[in-house]
Structure formats: C-alpha cells, structure tokens
Amino acid sequence: MEIKWRTQIQLEDWPLLLKADPEKKVVESYLGTSELLEIRDKNQLLGLLVLQEKNTTTVEIMNVSVVKEAQNQGIGQQLLREALRKSREQAYEQIEVKTGTTSLVPLIFYQKQGFRVVSVLADYFTQNYQTPLVENGVTLKDALLLQRSLID
C-alpha cells in the first residue's frame, strides 16, 4: 500500500469525498485550502483524508472516507496516523474534527484514537447544509467537535 500527500483534487476523489460530506458546495469550500492524503493499493484509491490548517496551532480533519470494500481493514487508522505524524512534525499543538451527533461509527473511531468531545455545535448541519441530512433515521442538526492534543 502507498500513502501520500497531495494538494490537487482528482476526478476519482469525488465519490469518496461526497460519501463523507454529501454537499459538493461544502466540500469545494475547503478543498482549496486543504491537503489531501490518499492511500492506494495497486493504484486503486482506497481512502482519502482532507486536512486543513485552522490557525497556527490547530489543524482540522475536514473529510475522511474509505471505499466500502476496504472498510474495517485499518485504512482509516493508517490515514489518521499519518495525519497525526505530519501535524506533529509541522509543530501543530492540536487536531480537531467535527462529526454528527448521530454519527456513531465515526464518533467511536475518533474516541478510540484519543479524541475527546469538547463541545456541541448547535444547528451546525441545518445552518451549513442546504439539504437536510438524515443519518440512522434522524435528521442531523448538531455537530460534535472533537479534539486531540498533539503534544506528548
């Protein structure tokens, strides 16, 4: 498997990006100021992580997605480990991510990786997305902000 950073979006990225963040306008709003981390096996794209600088001390994971056939095989962990490594190397102090209050799988994944819920962002999805998002039978309204320190 090959994992590498890049700044250019490719046509093949869109299905994965929109799987994790279904509104194209929202995805486009952060791609221009973000870096993409890809993981491939025999030239097949298996997963993407989008990382954006928020300020001089903090980076945010904007998007993470793994193709269905490669889920539950540690691909997401590999992407996250590399994002943590690079962020530390660049002297950031913390990394954060937002997820829906009903996004149980991502919420558990991030907590297993040392992230902690630090706040609830009320009405995040209703204010930032034109189309209502439904997850696990519930219309998403609020987001959870999770953070992890990068300082050992």
Side-chain angles (χ1 to χ4, degrees), residues 61-72:
I61 297 169
M62 304 301 292
N63 192 311
V64 179
S65 189
V66 174
V67 296
K68 188 172 186 160
E69 311 82 61
Q71 290 179 357
N72 300 312

Side-chain angles (χ1 to χ4, degrees), residues 6-59:
R6 59 182 162 89
T7 55
Q8 296 297 315
I9 185 78
Q10 298 172 2
L11 190 57
E12 70 177 321
D13 298 338
W14 282 105
L16 273 177
L17 293 169
L18 294 173
K19 182 177 163 211
D21 199 342
E23 205 160 293
K24 191 172 185 180
K25 264 189 175 177
V26 173
V27 176
E28 289 173 333
S29 75
Y30 57 74
L31 282 179
T33 55
S34 300
E35 287 187 85
L36 287 89
L37 177 62
E38 69 172 32
I39 189 163
R40 293 180 178 272
D41 186 27
K42 297 177 183 146
N43 209 31
Q44 179 189 358
L45 182 63
L46 298 181
L48 281 175
L49 181 146
V50 180
L51 193 67
Q52 181 182 67
E53 180 183 79
K54 299 314 275 183
N55 57 52
T56 58
T57 62
T58 305
V59 289

Side-chain angles (χ1 to χ4, degrees), residues 80-93:
L80 184 57
R81 272 196 303 270
E82 172 58 17
L84 293 170
R85 184 205 63 74
K86 181 176 182 164
S87 299
R88 279 190 187 103
E89 182 180 275
Q90 294 181 332
Y92 289 103
E93 296 175 12

